[in-house]
Amino acid sequence: MKKVLVIDDEEKVCWALEQFLKDEGYKPIIANNAEEGLRKVETEQPNIVILDVRLPGMDGLEALKKIKSLNPSIHVIIITAFDFFETTIKAMQLDAFDFVAKPPDLDEIKEIIDRAIKAQELSKALSPPEIEPAEKYQLDKLVGKSGQMQEIYKLIGAITTNNVTVLIEGENGTGKELVAKAIHYNSPRKDKPFVPINCGALPDSLLESELFGYEKGAFTGADGPKKGRFELADGGTLFLDEVSTMSSALQVKLLRVLEEQEFEPLGGTETVKVDVRIIAATNENLESLVQSGAFREDLYYRLKVISFNLPPLRERPADIPLLVNHFLAAANIELGRQLKGLDSKAMELLLKYDWPGNVRQLENAIKVAAVLSRSDVILLEHLPPEIIAGPRKAEREASALESALENILKAKVKQAINQDSNNLYDDILSMVDKSLVNLVLQELNDNQVKAARLLGISRTTLREKIKKL
Ligand SMILES: Nc1ncnc2c1ncn2[C@@H]1O[C@H](COP(=O)(O)OP(=O)(O)OP(=O)(O)O)[C@@H](O)[C@H]1O
Ligand SMILES: [Mg+2]
């Protein structure tokens, strides 16, 4: 039986909680002050503590700190009546599990206790830690063992020893920049700079001067020379992000640099020679932009010597558990936590979700959940609401269909009850029969051969049905 220790100086509250906990199948232990409570934490080893903040003698926050240092796996639920704001912040910092206002609502307490016990059991089941230890975690590591990702690793490996231009295509958040860095940092250029520039973030004139640099007096405000990113990346790699947004004038200029590895800074006469590897990225379909005339075909082929197509996360669910562990390890470092893992229901949901924001969205979801989780495990309710609400689109559509059908049937059942019917079953089947046969014939232009095949019935049966209708 799980033990719940109540520490409160109000007899009435203690009594009510004691009865309630007994009824719910827990073993209640009562203490009327913090000192007595701490003794009982040691002697009784409770699973959960319900702790009042205002206590005679040692106050609740002090007691919370002591309980957590005696046994960090005990979850402490705080009852607050005053200074809600300040107490809550302090108690959160001291790792309280959750809060209830005074007088405590029993249903709410029950829900919190259940959640705390679930977290505790999961935490036990998950030890030893499932996730990578901090010292093994590498920020820029590409994670994933799906077939699609293995192909990407192979391709990265194959091109790091040469200098071919690379185009990386993929939806938002699929890891384009990470792949670009992986190419650079695994190549002989790794000790030279990796210089990223987001072409979509700058207006045309600014982008031009950022890329190629300028001489003193090239334009008003150019009071000294400035090196462009091409020059800064000399010997290394230039990462042209969102390359599809470049104006056609700049596309021409870029093409020339790619072909000749040289250019003139704005307002300059001298040619600058550079040795730069270009990696471009886009989340648009560059090929269709070429077809519509928005992107130069010659530049497209010049960029796309080698191309990567990063698969969306929903097409490689096998990578999700690995990525989750990877991001949990990151959260442990960043937030100073000891998160062990994820509840299986939460994981199930992550596997079903369709991830429009791909790996970045997953990364953020885990970060949020890590902050919201008050124990060392992440439960379903810690995930962002859009993930809890939305599984895959196909499933949403199927369930919309199901609920529409359910509504129709409900109306029919009510009608049948009112009319005291005794053949509801046949009624409904013949209703479905009629509508289905009619619809199929309509869709197939009254072609009975095709209709019979689609319905999976013989033509004789179909003809009989039509006659009956
Ligand atoms: N395979 C992966 N393994 C580990 N982390 C990844 C992986 N793919 C992406 N990430 C992480 O997800 C986040 C988004 O990745 P990145 O910035 O490379 O995506 P992107 O394709 O450039 O996105 P956008 O199109 O929005 O610019 C980053 O924090 C990155 O570290
Ligand atoms: Mg990016």
Side-chain angles (χ1 to χ4, degrees), residues 193-461:
F194 174 86
V195 178
I197 180 159
N198 186 340
C199 305
L202 298 171
D204 217 39
S205 56
L206 213 55
L207 179 59
E208 185 174 12
S209 67
E210 273 299 320
L211 280 174
F212 304 107
Y214 49 79
E215 297 296 343
K216 187 177 171 177
F219 47 83
T220 31
D223 33 353
K226 187 186 154 160
K227 280 190 182 170
R229 306 269 172 123
F230 264 104
E231 225 177 320
L232 294 173
D234 196 17
T237 304
L238 181 67
F239 178 55
L240 295 172
D241 206 357
E242 293 191 44
V243 73
S244 63
T245 60
M246 247 186 203
S247 72
S248 51
L250 267 184
Q251 288 179 32
V252 176
K253 249 188 133 162
L254 177 61
L255 185 63
R256 203 193 127 208
V257 192
L258 287 176
E259 272 161 3
E260 292 159 22
Q261 292 274 325
E262 61 178 43
F263 61 91
E264 290 98 39
L266 271 68
T269 45
E270 250 157 70
T271 305
V272 178
K273 263 211 155 318
V274 284
D275 165 28
V276 172
R277 173 182 218 155
I278 306 285
I279 302 180
T282 174
N283 48 33
E284 287 182 90
N285 186 332
L286 217 48
E287 193 174 3
S288 62
L289 290 181
V290 168
Q291 272 157 14
S292 70
F295 200 84
R296 291 184 69 98
E297 190 172 15
D298 45 8
L299 178 58
Y300 173 61
Y301 286 110
R302 193 64 192 69
L303 287 175
K304 192 190 143 95
V305 178
I306 290 289
S307 71
F308 283 81
N309 209 327
L310 297 190
L313 188 56
R314 64 185 160 279
E315 285 175 15
R316 45 184 178 106
D319 289 340
I320 291 178
L322 291 173
L323 285 164
V324 166
N325 283 350
H326 180 65
F327 295 135
L328 277 175
N332 280 347
I333 297 169
E334 201 178 318
L335 306 170
R337 299 283 299 274
Q338 258 103 41
L339 289 158
K340 283 184 186 161
L342 213 70
D343 166 46
S344 61
K345 284 220 183 76
M347 183 58 88
E348 230 172 79
L349 203 67
L350 297 186
L351 291 171
K352 272 201 242 152
Y353 187 64
D354 60 359
W355 302 109
N358 293 297
V359 185
R360 177 177 298 110
Q361 190 186 6
L362 176 60
E363 181 176 15
N364 290 339
I366 296 298
K367 217 180 268 179
V368 170
V371 171
L372 295 182
S373 151
R374 300 308 300 156
S375 70
D376 54 7
V377 291
I378 286 176
L379 305 177
L380 190 77
E381 56 264 35
H382 300 132
L383 296 173
E386 66 275 14
I387 293 173
I388 296 176
R392 282 178 187 272
K393 207 167 135 237
E395 265 175 41
R396 277 198 291 269
E397 279 163 5
S399 78
L401 256 177
E402 244 167 56
S403 71
L405 184 61
E406 204 180 288
N407 283 338
I408 295 170
L409 290 179
K410 238 185 228 161
K412 277 275 165 198
V413 170
K414 277 193 187 144
Q415 199 182 40
I417 292 173
N418 284 341
Q419 295 171 350
D420 208 11
S421 152
N422 58 7
N423 62 345
L424 175 63
Y425 194 75
D426 281 341
D427 261 2
I428 292 205
L429 288 191
S430 66
M431 174 185 91
V432 172
D433 218 31
K434 190 171 149 188
S435 318
L436 185 63
V437 171
N438 271 335
L439 278 176
V440 168
L441 285 169
Q442 224 172 17
E443 287 294 315
L444 299 175
N445 297 326
D446 283 325
N447 183 328
Q448 291 189 12
V449 179
K450 280 190 187 165
R453 192 182 327 126
L454 184 72
L455 288 163
I457 57 180
S458 73
R459 279 170 67 192
T460 332
T461 317

Side-chain angles (χ1 to χ4, degrees), residues 141-143 172-178 283 323 359-360 363:
K141 193 170 81 173
L142 273 161
V143 175
N172 282 331
T174 45
K176 296 185 292 295
E177 182 151 357
L178 208 54
N283 48 33
L323 285 164
V359 185
R360 177 177 298 110
E363 181 176 15

